[in-house]
Short mmCIF file of all heavy atoms in Angstrom, two decimals:
data_model
loop_
_atom_site.label_atom_id
_atom_site.label_comp_id
_atom_site.label_asym_id
_atom_site.label_seq_id
_atom_site.Cartn_x
_atom_site.Cartn_y
_atom_site.Cartn_z
N VAL A 8 -10.90 -14.41 25.22
CA VAL A 8 -10.84 -13.14 25.94
C VAL A 8 -11.93 -12.21 25.41
O VAL A 8 -12.33 -12.31 24.26
CB VAL A 8 -9.45 -12.47 25.78
CG1 VAL A 8 -8.36 -13.30 26.43
CG2 VAL A 8 -9.14 -12.23 24.32
N HIS A 16 -5.60 0.15 20.15
CA HIS A 16 -5.34 1.08 21.25
C HIS A 16 -3.89 1.56 21.23
O HIS A 16 -3.63 2.76 21.38
CB HIS A 16 -5.64 0.40 22.59
CG HIS A 16 -5.22 1.21 23.78
ND1 HIS A 16 -5.90 2.33 24.20
CD2 HIS A 16 -4.15 1.07 24.62
CE1 HIS A 16 -5.28 2.84 25.26
NE2 HIS A 16 -4.23 2.09 25.54
N ALA A 39 11.43 -3.77 -4.93
CA ALA A 39 11.27 -4.39 -6.24
C ALA A 39 12.60 -4.91 -6.76
O ALA A 39 12.67 -5.99 -7.37
CB ALA A 39 10.66 -3.40 -7.23
N MET A 82 8.64 -10.47 0.86
CA MET A 82 8.39 -9.49 -0.18
C MET A 82 6.95 -9.57 -0.71
O MET A 82 6.34 -8.56 -1.05
CB MET A 82 9.39 -9.66 -1.33
CG MET A 82 10.80 -9.19 -1.00
SD MET A 82 10.91 -7.38 -0.79
CE MET A 82 10.92 -7.25 1.01
N THR A 87 1.61 -7.15 -0.66
CA THR A 87 0.22 -7.29 -0.21
C THR A 87 -0.25 -6.04 0.50
O THR A 87 -1.40 -5.60 0.33
CB THR A 87 0.10 -8.51 0.72
OG1 THR A 87 0.33 -9.70 -0.04
CG2 THR A 87 -1.28 -8.58 1.37
N SER A 94 0.83 1.82 -7.08
CA SER A 94 -0.05 1.07 -7.99
C SER A 94 -0.31 -0.34 -7.46
O SER A 94 0.62 -1.11 -7.25
CB SER A 94 0.58 0.98 -9.38
OG SER A 94 -0.06 0.00 -10.16
N ASP A 106 6.79 -15.61 -6.81
CA ASP A 106 6.41 -17.02 -6.94
C ASP A 106 7.25 -17.76 -7.98
O ASP A 106 7.27 -19.00 -7.98
CB ASP A 106 4.94 -17.14 -7.34
CG ASP A 106 3.99 -17.00 -6.16
OD1 ASP A 106 4.45 -17.14 -5.02
OD2 ASP A 106 2.79 -16.75 -6.39
N PHE A 107 7.92 -17.04 -8.86
CA PHE A 107 8.70 -17.69 -9.92
C PHE A 107 9.90 -18.46 -9.36
O PHE A 107 10.49 -19.27 -10.06
CB PHE A 107 9.16 -16.68 -10.95
CG PHE A 107 8.03 -16.12 -11.80
CD1 PHE A 107 8.27 -15.13 -12.73
CD2 PHE A 107 6.74 -16.59 -11.66
CE1 PHE A 107 7.24 -14.61 -13.51
CE2 PHE A 107 5.69 -16.08 -12.44
CZ PHE A 107 5.95 -15.10 -13.36
N LEU A 128 -8.08 -10.08 13.12
CA LEU A 128 -7.05 -10.72 13.94
C LEU A 128 -7.64 -11.32 15.22
O LEU A 128 -8.33 -10.65 15.99
CB LEU A 128 -5.97 -9.70 14.31
CG LEU A 128 -4.82 -10.20 15.19
CD1 LEU A 128 -4.04 -11.29 14.47
CD2 LEU A 128 -3.90 -9.05 15.58
N ILE A 137 -5.50 -18.69 12.42
CA ILE A 137 -5.88 -19.58 13.52
C ILE A 137 -6.33 -20.92 12.94
O ILE A 137 -7.18 -20.97 12.06
CB ILE A 137 -7.02 -18.97 14.36
CG1 ILE A 137 -6.55 -17.66 15.01
CG2 ILE A 137 -7.49 -19.94 15.44
CD1 ILE A 137 -7.63 -16.96 15.81
N ILE A 138 -5.77 -22.00 13.44
CA ILE A 138 -6.13 -23.32 12.93
C ILE A 138 -7.50 -23.74 13.46
O ILE A 138 -8.01 -23.16 14.42
CB ILE A 138 -5.07 -24.37 13.30
CG1 ILE A 138 -4.99 -24.57 14.83
CG2 ILE A 138 -3.70 -23.98 12.75
CD1 ILE A 138 -4.05 -25.69 15.24
N HIS A 140 -10.40 -26.29 15.19
CA HIS A 140 -10.42 -27.19 16.36
C HIS A 140 -9.95 -28.58 15.96
O HIS A 140 -9.18 -29.21 16.69
CB HIS A 140 -11.84 -27.27 16.92
CG HIS A 140 -12.25 -26.07 17.72
ND1 HIS A 140 -11.78 -25.82 18.99
CD2 HIS A 140 -13.09 -25.05 17.42
CE1 HIS A 140 -12.31 -24.70 19.46
NE2 HIS A 140 -13.12 -24.21 18.52
N ALA A 154 6.15 -31.34 15.67
CA ALA A 154 7.24 -31.20 14.71
C ALA A 154 6.75 -31.50 13.29
O ALA A 154 7.10 -30.78 12.34
CB ALA A 154 8.39 -32.13 15.09
N VAL A 157 4.70 -28.53 12.02
CA VAL A 157 5.55 -27.43 11.56
C VAL A 157 6.16 -27.77 10.20
O VAL A 157 6.21 -26.92 9.30
CB VAL A 157 6.65 -27.13 12.60
CG1 VAL A 157 7.63 -26.09 12.05
CG2 VAL A 157 6.05 -26.63 13.90
N ALA A 173 -15.55 -15.31 7.05
CA ALA A 173 -15.27 -14.04 6.40
C ALA A 173 -15.19 -14.18 4.89
O ALA A 173 -15.31 -13.20 4.16
CB ALA A 173 -13.96 -13.45 6.93
N LEU A 179 -13.08 -17.60 -4.07
CA LEU A 179 -11.64 -17.75 -3.86
C LEU A 179 -10.88 -17.57 -5.17
O LEU A 179 -9.66 -17.38 -5.17
CB LEU A 179 -11.34 -19.13 -3.27
CG LEU A 179 -11.99 -19.45 -1.92
CD1 LEU A 179 -11.55 -20.83 -1.45
CD2 LEU A 179 -11.65 -18.39 -0.89
N LEU A 188 -1.86 -18.49 -10.98
CA LEU A 188 -1.73 -19.93 -11.19
C LEU A 188 -1.14 -20.25 -12.56
O LEU A 188 -0.18 -21.03 -12.68
CB LEU A 188 -3.11 -20.59 -11.04
CG LEU A 188 -3.19 -22.08 -11.37
CD1 LEU A 188 -2.33 -22.90 -10.41
CD2 LEU A 188 -4.64 -22.55 -11.34
N ILE A 198 11.17 -24.09 -16.42
CA ILE A 198 12.34 -24.49 -15.61
C ILE A 198 12.59 -25.98 -15.77
O ILE A 198 13.73 -26.42 -15.95
CB ILE A 198 12.11 -24.12 -14.13
CG1 ILE A 198 12.12 -22.60 -13.94
CG2 ILE A 198 13.17 -24.77 -13.24
CD1 ILE A 198 11.73 -22.14 -12.55
N LEU A 200 11.73 -27.95 -18.25
CA LEU A 200 12.13 -28.33 -19.60
C LEU A 200 13.53 -27.84 -19.97
O LEU A 200 14.29 -28.54 -20.63
CB LEU A 200 11.12 -27.79 -20.61
CG LEU A 200 9.73 -28.45 -20.58
CD1 LEU A 200 8.77 -27.70 -21.49
CD2 LEU A 200 9.82 -29.92 -21.00
N ALA A 235 2.91 -15.39 27.06
CA ALA A 235 2.81 -14.40 28.12
C ALA A 235 1.33 -14.05 28.28
O ALA A 235 0.66 -13.73 27.29
CB ALA A 235 3.62 -13.14 27.80
N LEU A 250 18.18 -11.11 7.44
CA LEU A 250 17.98 -11.95 6.26
C LEU A 250 16.50 -12.04 5.88
O LEU A 250 16.18 -12.63 4.84
CB LEU A 250 18.53 -13.35 6.51
CG LEU A 250 20.02 -13.45 6.86
CD1 LEU A 250 20.40 -14.90 7.11
CD2 LEU A 250 20.88 -12.86 5.74
N GLU A 259 5.09 -4.32 15.92
CA GLU A 259 5.20 -3.05 15.21
C GLU A 259 4.42 -3.08 13.89
O GLU A 259 3.75 -2.10 13.54
CB GLU A 259 6.68 -2.73 14.94
CG GLU A 259 7.51 -2.45 16.19
CD GLU A 259 8.01 -3.70 16.92
OE1 GLU A 259 7.57 -4.84 16.58
OE2 GLU A 259 8.81 -3.56 17.85
N LYS A 270 11.72 0.49 7.80
CA LYS A 270 11.50 1.52 8.82
C LYS A 270 10.90 0.97 10.11
O LYS A 270 10.65 1.73 11.04
CB LYS A 270 10.60 2.62 8.25
CG LYS A 270 11.26 3.38 7.11
CD LYS A 270 10.41 4.53 6.61
CE LYS A 270 11.13 5.30 5.50
NZ LYS A 270 10.31 6.43 4.97
N ARG A 275 10.09 1.17 16.40
CA ARG A 275 10.36 0.72 17.77
C ARG A 275 11.22 1.72 18.52
O ARG A 275 11.00 1.98 19.71
CB ARG A 275 11.05 -0.64 17.74
CG ARG A 275 11.29 -1.22 19.13
CD ARG A 275 12.23 -2.39 19.10
NE ARG A 275 12.45 -2.92 20.44
CZ ARG A 275 13.51 -3.64 20.81
NH1 ARG A 275 14.45 -3.92 19.92
NH2 ARG A 275 13.63 -4.07 22.04
N GLY A 284 8.35 -3.19 27.03
CA GLY A 284 7.71 -3.92 28.11
C GLY A 284 6.99 -5.18 27.66
O GLY A 284 6.53 -5.97 28.49
N LYS A 286 6.70 -8.94 25.93
CA LYS A 286 7.58 -10.09 25.76
C LYS A 286 7.98 -10.21 24.30
O LYS A 286 7.15 -10.03 23.39
CB LYS A 286 6.89 -11.38 26.20
CG LYS A 286 7.80 -12.60 26.03
CD LYS A 286 7.23 -13.88 26.61
CE LYS A 286 8.21 -15.03 26.42
NZ LYS A 286 7.72 -16.29 27.00
#
Side-chain angles (χ1 to χ4, degrees):
V8 295
H16 171 74
M82 287 292 101
T87 293
S94 165
D106 279 342
F107 290 176
L128 179 63
I137 297 178
I138 65 175
H140 284 286
V157 174
L179 300 183
L188 174 64
I198 291 173
L200 291 172
L250 301 179
E259 293 82 351
K270 295 184 178 179
R275 183 193 179 202
K286 180 173 181 178

